[in-house]
Amino acid sequence: MKKALVLGAGGFIAHHLQRRLKEEGYWVRSVDLKYPRFDDTDSDDFVVGDLRDKNFVDSVVDRRFDEVYQLAADMGGAGYIFTGENDADVMTNSSLINLNVLDSCQKRNIKRIFYSSSACIYPEYNQLDPNNPKCSEESAYPAAPDSEYGWEKLFSERMYLAYSRNKGIESRVARYHNIYGPLGSWNDGKEKAPAALCRKVAFADDGGFIEVWGDGVQTRSFLYIDDCVDATIKLTRSEFEGPVNIGSEEMISINNLAKLIIEISGKDLSIKNIPGPEGVRGRNSDNKIIEKELNWKPTFSLEEGVKKTYDWISNQVKSQ
Ligand code: NAD
C-alpha cells in the first residue's frame, strides 16, 4: 500500500487532497495545527501539532513516504496578507515550516515532495492592467511580488528546487491561482473573494446591496477545488518539476464575479464598491506549460464551481 503525508490537512485544499488519496487506496497521514473545521478527516492518522517545531516534524516524518504534499502555510485572503499587519508572522511561520519539512524528508530519504507556491510570486509590474496581466512562469523574474507572502513563497519554491539539485529530493512545485470551493474559509477573515462574496450575498436581504472591496474592475481567475486536486496529484507523479501554474484562464472582474453570484442566488441585489485591500489590478493563470507538460486543463467552468460553492456557503449561513 502506498503511503502519503499531507501537511496542512486541517486546511481547505489539503483536506480535499487527503480525501482523494484515500479514495485511491493510499495510507494517509495528515498533519495540521487543527482538525478540518467543516468536515471529518478521512486520513488513517491525523496528527495535531506545529510544523515550526523541528522535533515534531521529525516525529511525523518517521518513514519513507512515497509522496509528501506540503501545503501548510500561514495564509489568508486579501484581508490577511495585503494589510501588512501579519507580514512578520507570515514570513517566519511559513519559512520555518518549509525548512523543517525539507530537512526531515531528506534525512528519511524521501523522494517525491509537492510544494504549493502561489500566483502571488508574480511581479506587480506585470499585473497593473486588469485586462492584460502577465503570469507566464518565466515572468516571475526580475522578482517584485506585491506582498511578503509572495516573497516567502518565491524563496521557498527556490529552496525546494535547490534540494532537488543538491540533496536527492524530487520536488514538484506548483503556483496555485485562487483555489475555491466548498469546505473553505468563508467567515474567519481568511476567506478569498469567491467565498467572501458568496457569504455577503447569502446574508443580504432581497432588494439590498453587497459591499465589494476596491472599484471592482480588478480581475482574477479562480480554479475549482476538484480541478486543483487533479492537477496537484498529476504534477506530483509526473517527471516535470515545475514551477508551473495550476489555475484557470477564465478571467473575470470582481464586480462581474459578484454579479454572477447574485444571479446564482436569485436575489435582487446591487453592488456598492468600497475602499479595501485588493492586491494587484489584474491576474490570470497562463496554462501553456501545464497543458504541454501534463496535458491538463480545468474541467469546471467558473459558473459551475461558483454554484457549488454558493450552495455550500448559503447552507452554512442558514444553519448558523
Ligand atoms: P489553509 O489556510 O486552508 O490551509 C493551510 C493550513 O496550514 C491550515 O489548516 C493551517 O492550520 C496549517 N498550518 C499553518 N501553520 C501551521 C503550522 N505551524 N503547523 C501545522 N499546520 C500549520 O490554506 P489553503 O487555501 O488550503 O492553501 C493550501 C496551500 O496552498 C498554502 O500553502 C497556500 O499558501 C497555497 N495557496 C493557496 C491558494 C488558494 O487559493 N487557496 C492560492 C495560492 C497558494
Side-chain angles (χ1 to χ4, degrees), residues 86-139:
N86 306 298
D87 287 350
D89 284 345
V90 165
M91 296 188 92
T92 310
N93 294 339
S94 296
S95 305
L96 276 174
I97 294 170
N98 289 316
L99 285 162
N100 288 342
V101 167
L102 276 166
D103 184 63
S104 299
C105 287
Q106 191 230 337
K107 284 186 182 140
R108 279 279 166 200
N109 207 13
I110 288 169
K111 294 285 168 224
R112 241 358 118 86
I113 305 187
F114 170 87
Y115 173 61
S116 53
S117 180
S118 166
C120 288
I121 62 102
Y122 286 113
E124 191 172 13
Y125 58 76
N126 279 333
Q127 301 173 86
L128 300 174
D129 176 358
N131 297 314
N132 198 19
K134 184 173 179 187
C135 291
S136 48
E137 284 80 352
E138 88 295 342
S139 73

Side-chain angles (χ1 to χ4, degrees), residues 11-13 32 34 50-51 71 73 116 149 153 178-179 192:
F12 167 51
I13 302 174
D32 203 296
K34 56 178 176 57
D50 191 338
L51 294 164
L71 286 88
S116 53
Y149 168 78
K153 286 287 188 197
N178 289 312
I179 316 303
K192 306 280 185 56

